[in-house]
Amino acid sequence: MTNKRPRLDIPKKPAERRAWIQYRLRLIGSNFRALGRQLGVSQQAVSYAAAGYPSLAIEQAIAKAIGVPHQELFPEHFDDAGGRIPLARTRQRKPTRAASQRNVESSEAA
């Protein structure tokens, strides 16, 4: 007889997975707010992480709380070798025309 864990059907869609995580937390008598208090973050931060927005510390805490391996719960955040995919941030600000037309024409002191 093998000693395998039963396979969980973790939803792949972020909204469904968030609801599934919320349900699993309720089964153990917890919720996003309680988990947020333990971590020192808001319940919204926990909710966003549960929905798939990357946050390593919160993801790990959620996985530990519900007893599911981190890589199984958020597989889209890991590559095929099991390494964490780095967060690629896009540029937040677009250069404005005013930024290129400064009051000072040269870098000399007045």
Side-chain angles (χ1 to χ4, degrees), residues 55-98:
S55 175
L56 182 60
I58 298 173
E59 290 170 15
Q60 289 174 336
I62 291 170
K64 184 178 178 183
I66 63 175
V68 176
H70 183 208
Q71 291 177 329
E72 285 183 28
L73 192 57
F74 300 100
E76 69 274 10
H77 298 168
F78 294 91
D79 59 16
D80 293 335
R84 179 82 175 184
I85 297 173
L87 183 62
R89 296 188 184 255
T90 58
R91 187 175 181 167
Q92 297 294 320
R93 291 185 177 182
K94 294 179 181 173
T96 61
R97 188 170 183 203

Side-chain angles (χ1 to χ4, degrees), residues 8-27:
L8 295 172
D9 290 328
I10 301 170
K12 299 296 180 204
K13 293 181 181 178
E16 292 175 7
R17 182 174 46 211
R18 183 193 166 281
W20 183 84
I21 290 170
Q22 191 172 24
Y23 169 73
R24 298 283 299 208
L25 286 171
R26 284 185 183 166
L27 287 177

Side-chain angles (χ1 to χ4, degrees), residues 42-63:
S42 68
Q43 75 179 33
Q44 290 87 357
V46 177
S47 178
Y48 284 170
Y53 290 92
S55 175
L56 182 60
I58 298 173
E59 290 170 15
Q60 289 174 336
I62 291 170

